[in-house]
Amino acid sequence: MSSAASASAAGGAGEEGGAAAAQPQQEGPVVTCKGVNGLDKVVLREVRGSSAEVYLYGGHVTSWKDEHGEELLFVSNKAIFKPPKAIRGGIPICFPQFSNFGNLDPHGFARNRTWSVENDPPPFPVPTSNKAYVDLILTHTEEDLKIWPHSYEFRLRVALGPGGDLMLTSRIRNTNADGKPFSFTFAYHTYFSISDISEVRVEGLETLDYLDNLQERNRYTEQGDAIVFESELDRIYLGTPSKIAIIDHEKKRTFVVRKGGLPDAVVWNPWDKKAKAMSDFGDEEYKRMVCVEAAAIEKPITLKPGEEWTGKLELSAVPSSYYSGQLDPDRVLQDSSVPEDSIS
């Protein structure tokens, strides 16, 4: 892996939650160093100044900053950077199970495992000339096999685009030697940093059906022209478009979520009572975050031995005036377009 970017301005959201992280002195697009509580992390920096941080524990993106150094992801000040507890905030990866859709612990085990940097991964469909990226890999352990008896390879690329876009590409392959297929559900559990939850609306999910996790997962149809927040909200939207917008009126900023191979979208804010019930979440922090998650939940992904699934997420932050209802409607994901049926 190339030596790289200064992490001095990217100390990691949530550093208040543990010992201060040592900062590297190297310059360049990719730096490995120690984060909170001595955990290994990778810092990515794009030449114009945007940055991202990825902890090997969980393959977990904990920071994404724009060229001005403003943090775009939310990590709780009470986040516990100490295995086996998952990190509260950023982009946890839910695999091989979303929430309690199965027999595993909620959200599976990928976010509770230590990943490895893969210096020579299999080639991507479209090579990139950008150098601000890291490839991680997670494979089954004996511990995993006791609770989920399948062999797999999970490759994750985290990359920063030239304009500061954050891109995550997951490639999951069935490596079972016994000829058995396996099925899984998946989500990029992204926590966005916002001005105030009352100032935010989510567009792109109008008229769609959703499962309401607060109503025994009963199925409803979205009636509003946008999603706004006045109380706890926890929904799984089904058959969603490849692009969703999160408009923050106070900051005059729009997050654009583009996704491939991930037909569902989770929208979540815990509101006050649930926030107070979480030990790793501040009582008032629900006001400064919203989760909009690219996911595959309603219809689990099934892979036969040798088959690979790809799920892509691309996040952009643009001025809200630039959005005006439609943003580059024909634009595809930067590395390559990924069809909804993305198993090869």
Side-chain angles (χ1 to χ4, degrees), residues 51-131:
S51 66
E53 294 190 359
V54 192
Y55 274 72
L56 297 192
Y57 177 61
H60 197 130
V61 177
T62 57
S63 177
W64 170 40
K65 294 181 179 179
D66 64 19
E67 66 271 23
H68 306 297
E70 183 175 0
E71 182 59 65
L72 302 173
L73 297 179
F74 167 88
V75 174
S76 173
N77 288 333
K78 292 190 173 183
I80 299 168
F81 285 74
K82 191 173 183 180
K85 179 73 173 176
I87 299 167
R88 173 69 68 184
I91 310 180
I93 290 175
C94 303
F95 170 83
Q97 176 183 301
F98 174 79
S99 185
N100 58 354
F101 280 75
N103 301 318
L104 301 175
D105 288 341
H107 292 330
F109 49 73
R111 65 185 188 147
N112 306 100
R113 299 289 184 267
T114 298
W115 296 53
S116 301
V117 174
E118 188 173 31
N119 291 315
D120 189 24
F124 267 61
V126 177
T128 176
S129 58
N130 183 38
K131 296 180 179 178

Side-chain angles (χ1 to χ4, degrees), residues 324-340:
S324 66
Q326 282 291 324
L327 176 65
D328 302 338
D330 298 322
R331 176 180 167 187
V332 297
L333 297 173
Q334 286 192 5
D335 286 347
S336 62
S337 60
V338 179
E340 288 301 315

Side-chain angles (χ1 to χ4, degrees), residues 267-285:
V267 181
W268 178 64
N269 183 285
W271 220 250
D272 53 350
K273 289 183 180 179
K274 192 159 286 183
K276 291 176 181 176
M278 293 188 285
S279 61
D280 60 347
F281 193 91
D283 290 355
E284 301 293 317
E285 287 187 325

Side-chain angles (χ1 to χ4, degrees), residues 14-52:
E15 232 146 63
E16 304 89 338
Q23 298 300 339
Q25 300 303 312
Q26 310 103 301
E27 295 286 338
V30 186
V31 166
T32 55
C33 58
K34 297 295 183 183
V36 178
N37 292 332
L39 295 176
D40 291 324
K41 70 178 179 181
V42 179
V43 179
L44 306 176
R45 185 172 296 281
E46 207 279 320
V47 66
R48 297 179 193 173
S50 59
S51 66

Side-chain angles (χ1 to χ4, degrees), residues 221-296:
T221 300
E222 178 59 53
Q223 301 297 321
D225 59 0
I227 299 168
V228 295
F229 300 86
E230 299 172 339
S231 60
E232 181 183 357
L233 192 141
D234 190 354
R235 299 173 180 173
I236 302 167
Y237 286 82
L238 310 173
T240 61
S242 60
K243 184 180 63 185
I244 302 166
I246 306 160
I247 301 171
D248 188 333
H249 295 292
E250 187 171 313
K251 284 187 179 287
K252 295 182 173 59
R253 178 169 65 204
T254 295
F255 291 110
V256 182
V257 178
R258 294 182 180 86
K259 57 193 180 65
L262 297 160
D264 303 323
V266 180
V267 181
W268 178 64
N269 183 285
W271 220 250
D272 53 350
K273 289 183 180 179
K274 192 159 286 183
K276 291 176 181 176
M278 293 188 285
S279 61
D280 60 347
F281 193 91
D283 290 355
E284 301 293 317
E285 287 187 325
Y286 73 93
K287 297 176 181 177
R288 297 190 293 106
M289 55 71 63
V290 66
C291 285
V292 177
E293 313 167 29

